[in-house]
Amino acid sequence: GAVVSQHPSRVICKSGTSVKIECRSLDFQATTMFWYRQFPKQSLMLMATSNEGSKATYEQGVEKDKFLINHASLTLSTLTVTSAHPEDSSFYICSAPENTEAFFGQGTRLTVV
Amino acid sequence: GENVEQHPSTLSVQEGDSAVIKCTYSDSASNYFPWYKQELGKRPQLIIDIRSNVGEKKDQRIAVTLNKTAKHFSLHITETQPEDSAVYFCAASFTGTASKLTFGTGTRLQVTL
């Protein structure tokens, strides 16, 4: 199947700093990618849809100025958590659809201290 | 928006027994229902999916059934093995593909020897 690579896999940052997470489709082009957040022992919650060449669309309750999404090419989407706070600590995971199936990145565990 | 409920939250079965996980959805427009297996700290992996024009689908030890009228679908795993132990998520989408998935809350399956 298709491969989606996400980096970094783990990151620890200080409160108030920003963190960038990359999501790459390695062997296919993805005009759309999706960003999810998963708190411990909870489900994946869709945060936003990343659209190549245009603005991302955010789900209700997700702050677009805090979670900046850039999808500058057909193989790369980035999520930047700005001014991170401890409550932003979570597992962030991207997915890209190929044909009708979704392929997930390996996820990024963000810890804000 | 769509709401997906999943039961049970935890399930323990003996090796060789069957396991059944059930999900209900709220949006009658949903037409694509995948099931994912997620091991701790890893990415979700698609194990089986079903579309609204089909009532049942089987792949070796795994089967999924869909009741559109009642808006529920179920995952059946037969002859369970220890390596089946993981968290399983159901999901639903109105796009007919794995775009914009709404996930269930997850079921932690433990297969004991």
Side-chain angles (χ1 to χ4, degrees):
Chain A
V3 178
V4 174
S5 179
Q6 185 175 341
H7 293 281
S9 57
R10 293 178 181 271
V11 58
I12 300 173
C13 72
K14 290 186 177 180
S15 201
T17 62
S18 296
V19 173
K20 180 185 282 188
I21 303 169
E22 293 188 347
C23 181
R24 292 180 186 273
S25 56
L26 296 186
D27 49 2
F28 67 102
Q29 294 182 332
T31 57
T32 304
M33 292 186 179
F34 300 93
W35 287 96
Y36 295 86
R37 180 168 52 186
Q38 185 177 31
F39 290 108
K41 296 185 178 181
Q42 294 189 26
S43 190
L44 288 81
M45 300 296 294
L46 180 63
M47 299 176 64
T49 302
S50 173
N51 304 297
E52 187 268 334
S54 64
K55 290 183 179 180
T57 54
Y58 292 80
E59 296 301 303
Q60 192 173 9
V62 178
E63 300 175 58
K64 62 179 181 180
D65 294 331
K66 181 169 184 63
F67 298 99
L68 301 180
I69 291 173
N70 184 278
H71 195 151
S73 78
L74 287 170
T75 58
L76 175 63
S77 174
T78 60
L79 169 68
T80 301
V81 183
T82 63
S83 187
H85 289 100
E87 55 265 32
D88 297 324
S89 298
S90 188
F91 189 64
Y92 293 85
I93 191 163
C94 65
S95 80
E98 165 70 347
N99 295 322
T100 58
E101 188 174 340
F103 293 91
F104 289 85
Q106 55 266 60
T108 297
R109 183 160 303 284
L110 170 64
T111 303
V112 185
V113 298
Chain B
E2 175 66 278
N3 181 50
V4 179
E5 295 188 356
Q6 183 171 346
H7 299 280
S9 57
T10 59
L11 179 60
S12 182
V13 299
Q14 284 196 323
E15 183 179 8
D17 288 350
S18 295
V20 180
I21 303 170
K22 298 181 179 181
C23 287
T24 60
Y25 60 98
S26 61
D27 188 351
S28 56
S30 289
N31 52 19
Y32 176 67
F33 307 92
W35 285 89
Y36 293 91
K37 176 183 179 182
Q38 186 180 30
E39 296 178 13
L40 187 63
K42 296 191 176 180
R43 73 188 83 195
Q45 300 275 4
L46 177 71
I47 55 171
I48 197 167
D49 59 10
I50 193 168
R51 287 182 168 76
S52 57
N53 59 344
V54 176
E56 184 174 357
K57 184 176 179 181
K58 189 174 181 180
D59 183 4
Q60 299 183 333
R61 297 187 297 112
I62 295 173
V64 56
T65 58
L66 171 66
N67 183 327
K68 285 190 297 182
T69 303
K71 289 190 280 190
H72 66 70
F73 55 114
S74 301
L75 177 71
H76 304 253
I77 306 174
T78 59
E79 300 173 30
T80 53
Q81 301 166 3
E83 50 265 39
D84 294 329
S85 297
V87 179
Y88 291 81
F89 291 97
C90 62
S93 173
F94 61 88
T95 66
T97 69
S99 295
K100 299 203 74 170
L101 294 168
T102 299
F103 282 84
T105 47
T107 296
R108 183 171 299 278
L109 173 65
Q110 181 70 44
V111 180
T112 58
L113 296 173

